[in-house]
Amino acid sequence: QYAVVPGFRPLVLDLHVPAGQRTCPVVVYAHGGGFVGGSRTMGPWAFLLEAGYAVASVDYRLASEAQFPFPIHDLAAAVRWVRANAEKYRLDPGLVIGFGSSAGGYLMNALALTGPDLPGLTGSLGPTPEVSIALDAMIDHYAPTDFSTLGITADSPLLKFLGFDPSQRPEDAELANLCRYATAGSPPFLIAHGDADTVVDFEHSRRLFDALTSAGARAELIVVEGANHGAVEFDQPAMHTQTLNFLESVAKSRA
């Protein structure tokens, strides 16, 4: 249990720690599911354990339970919990990495880009609000970035998540556009997206990559040729190797 919302079920995460006694970096993972489904048991993160990273896989409130930006508050609380309990579980509080797929990628990206600078988006949920929620790096798999560019229908889960139609309230929709938050101080990003994605167009990741690099932040974009949304290619050795190389370079840059 990493947080309790008054009048709501406890929020929980699964913490997986590699065997051994050394302190290890930790990846906080947010699952996909279109903001309306999924669970912390999902995700392409098992290879990280084998490489010596701890993984905290998080359940957050879904769109039927809470609308934007409250699921972002949940992930911020999970990062606070990880840092507050770092010594107990042999985690390195100085190397906390965000990782998310699809909807979870959007939420974790939002946290990585806004962090402590925009408390309205990240909140103060959890028993230790003073603990840093800054992420040291971010791994993004095929996440949306700008809801105004997605086709919204009457039964779209995005309506449930946002609580409004972006075409009817463009100023409010712009607050959820992640590209606007990219700065030179953003953490390093590794973005992976299939160029045949029929759910979230590849251009979402292209725009985020361009926004980050234009602002002076470090970002890498992996174009997975022929891959659709959530394809098996995102949990294969080639992707694992690129991800671990990225994380190793981040660790070296902070040493």
Side-chain angles (χ1 to χ4, degrees), residues 94-130:
L95 193 53
V96 179
I97 300 117
F99 183 9
S101 303
S102 194
Y106 172 84
L107 298 172
M108 196 66 79
N109 284 347
L111 177 59
L113 290 167
T114 59
D117 299 325
L118 291 169
L121 286 182
T122 55
S124 58
L125 184 62
T128 52
E130 73 281 0

Side-chain angles (χ1 to χ4, degrees), residues 214-230:
S214 296
R218 176 187 169 186
E220 300 177 26
L221 177 61
I222 300 173
V223 182
V224 186
E225 294 184 2
N228 203 340
H229 201 72

Side-chain angles (χ1 to χ4, degrees), residues 156-173:
S156 171
L158 293 180
L159 288 180
K160 296 179 181 178
F161 173 63
L162 290 175
F164 60 88
D165 186 334
S167 67
Q168 301 301 313
R169 292 166 54 180
E171 291 185 2
D172 290 334

Side-chain angles (χ1 to χ4, degrees), residues 4 52 62 64 69 88 116 122 128-129 137 142 153 171-172 187 202 215 223-224 227 231 242 250:
V4 176
L62 302 175
S64 59
K88 179 178 179 180
T122 55
T128 52
Y142 46 86
T153 60
E171 291 185 2
D172 290 334
F202 170 76
V223 182
V224 186
Q242 290 173 292
V250 169

Side-chain angles (χ1 to χ4, degrees), residues 29-92:
Y29 178 77
H31 63 80
F35 302 104
V36 295
S39 80
R40 66 188 186 278
T41 61
M42 301 166 56
W45 44 256
F47 75 99
L48 292 166
L49 298 174
E50 300 170 1
Y53 291 83
V55 176
S57 189
V58 182
D59 271 349
Y60 52 85
R61 284 175 286 178
L62 302 175
S64 59
E65 303 168 312
Q67 295 175 333
F68 173 86
F70 293 110
I72 304 170
H73 293 195
D74 299 347
L75 297 187
V79 172
R80 291 187 186 101
W81 184 93
V82 164
R83 280 206 169 93
N85 289 277
E87 183 175 358
K88 179 178 179 180
Y89 295 108
R90 297 181 288 106
L91 309 176
D92 182 355

Side-chain angles (χ1 to χ4, degrees), residues 108-115 117-118 135 178-179 181-183 186-187 189 208 212:
M108 196 66 79
N109 284 347
L111 177 59
L113 290 167
T114 59
D117 299 325
L118 291 169
L135 292 173
L178 298 186
C179 296
Y181 300 112
T183 70
S186 297
F189 268 70
L208 179 58
L212 286 163

